[in-house]
Amino acid sequence: EPEVTQTPSHQVTQMGQEVILRCVPISNHLYFYWYRQILGQKVEFLVSFYNNEISEKSEIFDDQFSVERPDGSNFTLKIRSTKLEDSAMYFCASSEALGTSGTSTDTQYFGPGTRLTVL
Amino acid sequence: DQQVKQNSPSLSVQEGRISILNCDYTNSMFDYFLWYKKYPAEGPTFLISISSIKDKNEDGRFTVFLNKSAKHLSLHIVPSQPGDSAVYFCAASLYSGTYKYIFGTGTRLKVLA
Protein backbone atom coordinates (compact mmCIF):
# COMPACT_ATOMS: atom_id res chain seq x y z
CA GLU A 1 0.00 0.00 0.00
CA PRO A 2 1.38 3.45 -0.89
CA GLU A 3 2.70 5.39 2.05
CA VAL A 4 4.35 8.67 2.94
CA THR A 5 8.01 8.30 3.85
CA GLN A 6 10.23 10.69 5.78
CA THR A 7 13.96 10.99 6.32
CA PRO A 8 15.80 11.10 8.59
CA SER A 9 13.90 9.45 11.40
CA HIS A 10 15.90 11.41 13.95
CA GLN A 11 17.93 14.59 13.47
CA VAL A 12 20.07 16.14 16.17
CA THR A 13 21.40 19.63 15.55
CA GLN A 14 22.96 22.54 17.35
CA MET A 15 20.96 25.70 17.96
CA GLY A 16 21.40 28.14 15.08
CA GLN A 17 22.09 25.45 12.49
CA GLU A 18 19.99 24.84 9.41
CA VAL A 19 18.12 21.57 9.01
CA ILE A 20 16.25 20.08 6.08
CA LEU A 21 13.60 17.47 6.70
CA ARG A 22 12.63 15.34 3.74
CA CYS A 23 9.40 13.69 2.73
CA VAL A 24 8.23 11.60 -0.19
CA PRO A 25 4.44 11.94 -0.46
CA ILE A 26 2.17 9.32 -1.98
CA SER A 27 2.82 9.46 -5.72
CA ASN A 28 -0.59 10.53 -7.07
CA HIS A 29 -1.23 13.05 -4.31
CA LEU A 30 -1.29 16.73 -5.10
CA TYR A 31 -1.56 18.42 -1.70
CA PHE A 32 1.23 18.36 0.82
CA TYR A 33 1.40 19.37 4.45
CA TRP A 34 3.75 19.68 7.38
CA TYR A 35 2.61 19.32 10.97
CA ARG A 36 4.57 19.15 14.18
CA GLN A 37 4.03 17.74 17.63
CA ILE A 38 6.00 19.06 20.56
CA LEU A 39 6.36 16.40 23.25
CA GLY A 40 3.15 16.07 25.23
CA GLN A 41 1.24 18.54 23.07
CA LYS A 42 -1.17 18.45 20.15
CA VAL A 43 -0.31 17.80 16.56
CA GLU A 44 -0.25 21.30 15.02
CA PHE A 45 -0.62 22.41 11.43
CA LEU A 46 2.37 24.25 9.99
CA VAL A 47 1.87 24.66 6.26
CA SER A 48 0.07 23.36 3.20
CA PHE A 49 1.45 23.31 -0.33
CA TYR A 50 -0.14 22.88 -3.70
CA ASN A 51 0.93 23.55 -7.25
CA ASN A 52 4.42 24.61 -6.14
CA GLU A 53 3.28 27.26 -3.75
CA ILE A 54 2.19 27.63 -0.17
CA SER A 55 -1.59 27.52 0.18
CA GLU A 56 -1.77 28.32 3.85
CA LYS A 57 0.59 28.63 6.79
CA SER A 58 0.12 28.91 10.52
CA GLU A 59 1.57 31.55 12.80
CA ILE A 60 4.24 29.01 13.79
CA PHE A 61 5.55 29.00 10.23
CA ASP A 62 7.62 32.18 10.39
CA ASP A 63 10.46 33.40 8.20
CA GLN A 64 12.78 30.73 9.57
CA PHE A 65 10.72 28.04 7.85
CA SER A 66 10.46 27.29 4.17
CA VAL A 67 9.10 24.44 2.07
CA GLU A 68 10.06 23.26 -1.36
CA ARG A 69 9.24 20.55 -3.86
CA PRO A 70 12.64 20.35 -5.56
CA ASP A 71 11.65 17.55 -7.91
CA GLY A 72 8.64 15.40 -8.76
CA SER A 73 8.82 13.27 -5.66
CA ASN A 74 10.38 15.07 -2.68
CA PHE A 75 8.84 17.67 -0.41
CA THR A 76 11.14 19.38 2.08
CA LEU A 77 10.87 21.53 5.16
CA LYS A 78 13.82 23.76 5.93
CA ILE A 79 14.45 25.50 9.21
CA ARG A 80 17.10 28.16 8.62
CA SER A 81 18.34 28.80 12.13
CA THR A 82 17.02 26.28 14.61
CA LYS A 83 15.94 27.23 18.12
CA LEU A 84 15.57 25.04 21.18
CA GLU A 85 11.79 25.31 20.90
CA ASP A 86 11.86 23.80 17.42
CA SER A 87 12.53 20.42 19.04
CA ALA A 88 9.51 18.30 18.08
CA MET A 89 8.26 15.48 15.87
CA TYR A 90 7.65 16.77 12.37
CA PHE A 91 5.08 14.96 10.28
CA CYS A 92 4.61 15.25 6.56
CA ALA A 93 1.20 14.43 5.09
CA SER A 94 -0.34 14.31 1.65
CA SER A 95 -3.81 14.13 0.19
CA GLU A 96 -5.07 13.20 -3.21
CA ALA A 97 -7.15 16.24 -3.97
CA LEU A 98 -9.53 18.71 -2.46
CA GLY A 99 -12.54 17.26 -4.18
CA THR A 100 -15.84 18.46 -2.82
CA SER A 101 -16.26 19.34 0.81
CA GLY A 102 -15.56 16.51 3.20
CA THR A 103 -14.95 13.69 0.78
CA SER A 104 -12.53 10.85 1.15
CA THR A 105 -10.11 12.44 -1.30
CA ASP A 106 -9.44 15.07 1.33
CA THR A 107 -8.03 12.51 3.73
CA GLN A 108 -4.47 13.30 4.67
CA TYR A 109 -2.06 10.41 5.09
CA PHE A 110 0.83 10.94 7.43
CA GLY A 111 4.42 9.82 7.34
CA PRO A 112 6.22 8.26 10.33
CA GLY A 113 7.75 11.58 11.36
CA THR A 114 11.20 13.03 11.94
CA ARG A 115 12.22 13.65 15.51
CA LEU A 116 14.18 16.91 15.59
CA THR A 117 16.29 17.56 18.65
CA VAL A 118 17.90 20.99 18.95
CA LEU A 119 20.71 21.23 21.51
CA ASP B 1 -6.69 27.18 20.57
CA GLN B 2 -9.14 24.65 21.99
CA GLN B 3 -11.35 24.12 18.96
CA VAL B 4 -11.09 20.33 19.24
CA LYS B 5 -11.04 18.71 22.64
CA GLN B 6 -10.64 15.18 23.91
CA ASN B 7 -11.41 15.38 27.59
CA SER B 8 -10.34 11.87 28.53
CA PRO B 9 -6.57 11.52 28.41
CA SER B 10 -6.80 7.76 28.95
CA LEU B 11 -9.22 4.84 28.82
CA SER B 12 -8.88 1.18 29.81
CA VAL B 13 -11.20 -1.47 28.42
CA GLN B 14 -11.35 -5.25 28.67
CA GLU B 15 -10.68 -7.22 25.51
CA GLY B 16 -13.91 -7.99 23.69
CA ARG B 17 -15.80 -5.06 25.18
CA ILE B 18 -16.71 -1.78 23.51
CA SER B 19 -14.31 1.17 23.56
CA ILE B 20 -15.91 4.60 23.24
CA LEU B 21 -13.67 7.56 22.60
CA ASN B 22 -15.14 11.05 22.65
CA CYS B 23 -14.31 14.34 21.04
CA ASP B 24 -15.93 17.77 21.27
CA TYR B 25 -15.49 20.72 18.96
CA THR B 26 -16.48 24.34 19.01
CA ASN B 27 -16.34 25.52 15.40
CA SER B 28 -19.55 24.81 13.50
CA MET B 29 -17.72 25.43 10.20
CA PHE B 30 -15.84 22.13 10.44
CA ASP B 31 -17.06 19.91 7.60
CA TYR B 32 -15.00 16.74 7.83
CA PHE B 33 -13.96 14.77 10.87
CA LEU B 34 -11.41 12.01 11.21
CA TRP B 35 -9.96 9.62 13.73
CA TYR B 36 -6.30 8.69 13.68
CA LYS B 37 -4.48 6.07 15.68
CA LYS B 38 -0.90 6.61 16.75
CA TYR B 39 1.70 4.26 18.15
CA PRO B 40 4.82 5.64 19.86
CA ALA B 41 7.50 6.83 17.40
CA GLU B 42 5.13 6.48 14.45
CA GLY B 43 2.97 8.89 12.49
CA PRO B 44 -0.80 9.14 12.85
CA THR B 45 -2.53 6.35 10.93
CA PHE B 46 -5.90 7.16 9.38
CA LEU B 47 -8.74 5.07 10.81
CA ILE B 48 -12.10 6.40 9.78
CA SER B 49 -13.75 9.66 8.78
CA ILE B 50 -17.15 11.24 8.51
CA SER B 51 -18.52 14.12 6.53
CA SER B 52 -20.60 16.74 8.30
CA ILE B 53 -23.61 15.74 6.18
CA LYS B 54 -23.71 12.31 7.82
CA ASP B 55 -24.27 11.18 11.38
CA LYS B 56 -22.70 7.74 11.24
CA ASN B 57 -20.00 5.93 9.34
CA GLU B 58 -18.99 2.33 9.89
CA ASP B 59 -15.92 0.38 8.84
CA GLY B 60 -15.58 -3.08 10.30
CA ARG B 61 -15.10 -2.83 14.05
CA PHE B 62 -14.95 0.97 13.93
CA THR B 63 -17.95 3.29 13.90
CA VAL B 64 -17.86 7.05 14.09
CA PHE B 65 -20.90 9.00 15.23
CA LEU B 66 -21.39 12.70 14.68
CA ASN B 67 -23.86 14.82 16.65
CA LYS B 68 -23.71 18.24 15.04
CA SER B 69 -26.16 19.91 17.40
CA ALA B 70 -24.00 18.88 20.36
CA LYS B 71 -20.76 19.41 18.40
CA HIS B 72 -19.70 15.96 19.52
CA LEU B 73 -17.94 13.12 17.80
CA SER B 74 -17.35 9.61 19.09
CA LEU B 75 -15.47 6.53 17.96
CA HIS B 76 -16.77 3.10 18.90
CA ILE B 77 -14.54 0.05 18.65
CA VAL B 78 -16.34 -3.28 18.97
CA PRO B 79 -14.97 -5.71 19.95
CA SER B 80 -11.83 -4.14 21.37
CA GLN B 81 -8.58 -6.05 20.85
CA PRO B 82 -5.19 -5.70 22.58
CA GLY B 83 -3.72 -4.48 19.27
CA ASP B 84 -6.04 -1.48 19.46
CA SER B 85 -3.98 -0.11 22.36
CA ALA B 86 -2.64 3.22 21.10
CA VAL B 87 -3.28 6.94 21.29
CA TYR B 88 -6.35 8.02 19.33
CA PHE B 89 -6.65 11.52 17.93
CA CYS B 90 -9.74 13.11 16.54
CA ALA B 91 -9.22 15.79 13.92
CA ALA B 92 -11.52 18.29 12.31
CA SER B 93 -11.07 19.79 8.91
CA LEU B 94 -11.59 23.41 8.08
CA TYR B 95 -11.43 24.68 4.54
CA SER B 96 -9.42 27.87 4.26
CA GLY B 97 -7.74 27.44 0.91
CA THR B 98 -6.73 23.95 1.83
CA TYR B 99 -8.07 21.49 4.33
CA LYS B 100 -5.91 21.97 7.37
CA TYR B 101 -6.58 19.59 10.20
CA ILE B 102 -7.05 20.66 13.79
CA PHE B 103 -6.26 17.88 16.21
CA GLY B 104 -7.45 17.03 19.67
CA THR B 105 -4.99 16.20 22.43
CA GLY B 106 -5.49 12.47 22.12
CA THR B 107 -6.84 9.65 24.28
CA ARG B 108 -4.59 6.76 25.25
CA LEU B 109 -6.57 3.53 24.92
CA LYS B 110 -5.39 0.43 26.72
CA VAL B 111 -7.17 -2.82 25.93
CA LEU B 112 -6.58 -5.37 28.64
CA ALA B 113 -6.30 -9.04 27.70
Side-chain angles (χ1 to χ4, degrees):
Chain A
E1 183 164 325
E3 57 183 20
V4 177
T5 59
Q6 290 185 244
T7 54
S9 57
H10 191 187
Q11 174 90 49
V12 182
T13 189
Q14 294 290 325
M15 191 168 57
Q17 294 295 303
E18 174 183 287
V19 294
I20 297 176
L21 309 183
R22 292 183 166 80
C23 168
V24 178
I26 294 172
S27 62
N28 65 329
H29 284 189
L30 300 175
Y31 294 83
F32 314 116
Y33 311 83
W34 284 100
Y35 291 78
R36 79 172 185 190
Q37 185 181 27
I38 294 171
L39 188 64
Q41 297 186 23
K42 290 184 180 188
V43 176
E44 300 174 286
F45 169 81
L46 289 178
V47 66
S48 57
F49 190 87
Y50 169 69
N51 200 25
N52 283 318
E53 59 183 30
I54 290 173
S55 302
E56 185 178 358
K57 58 185 181 180
S58 72
E59 60 275 8
I60 302 167
F61 195 90
D62 62 21
D63 291 344
Q64 293 301 309
F65 290 86
S66 62
V67 288
E68 193 179 33
R69 188 152 163 83
D71 53 44
S73 59
N74 288 283
F75 178 51
T76 62
L77 174 70
K78 184 195 290 187
I79 309 174
R80 251 180 285 281
S81 177
T82 49
K83 302 190 276 284
L84 294 175
E85 54 265 37
D86 294 327
S87 295
M89 282 290 288
Y90 287 80
F91 296 107
C92 173
S94 67
S95 63
E96 186 177 340
L98 275 181
T100 53
S101 170
T103 64
S104 61
T105 54
D106 302 331
T107 300
Q108 295 175 23
Y109 293 88
F110 285 74
T114 293
R115 179 173 297 285
L116 176 64
T117 302
V118 182
L119 302 176
Chain B
D1 180 356
Q2 294 289 314
Q3 293 191 75
V4 179
K5 282 189 282 192
Q6 293 175 256
N7 291 318
S8 299
S10 64
L11 175 69
S12 290
V13 171
Q14 284 295 130
E15 182 179 5
R17 305 295 291 267
I18 184 170
S19 295
I20 300 176
L21 296 101
N22 295 302
C23 180
D24 296 298
Y25 62 94
T26 55
N27 192 335
S28 57
M29 299 300 290
F30 289 141
D31 58 9
Y32 189 48
F33 302 87
L34 309 96
W35 284 94
Y36 286 85
K37 174 179 174 181
K38 188 178 179 303
Y39 294 114
E42 292 185 14
T45 301
F46 170 70
L47 263 182
I48 193 168
S49 61
I50 187 166
S51 164
S52 61
I53 61 173
K54 296 187 174 180
D55 53 23
K56 179 181 172 182
N57 188 26
E58 199 169 345
D59 184 1
R61 296 187 298 115
F62 301 93
T63 303
V64 56
F65 294 92
L66 176 62
N67 182 335
K68 285 199 295 292
S69 60
K71 296 193 180 72
H72 180 79
L73 186 70
S74 63
L75 174 69
H76 292 207
I77 307 173
V78 182
S80 302
Q81 299 172 353
D84 295 330
S85 297
V87 178
Y88 288 77
F89 291 95
C90 67
S93 173
L94 183 65
Y95 181 71
S96 51
T98 53
Y99 279 101
K100 72 177 182 185
Y101 287 1
I102 297 171
F103 283 83
T105 48
T107 296
R108 183 176 302 278
L109 174 66
K110 190 169 183 180
V111 180
L112 306 167

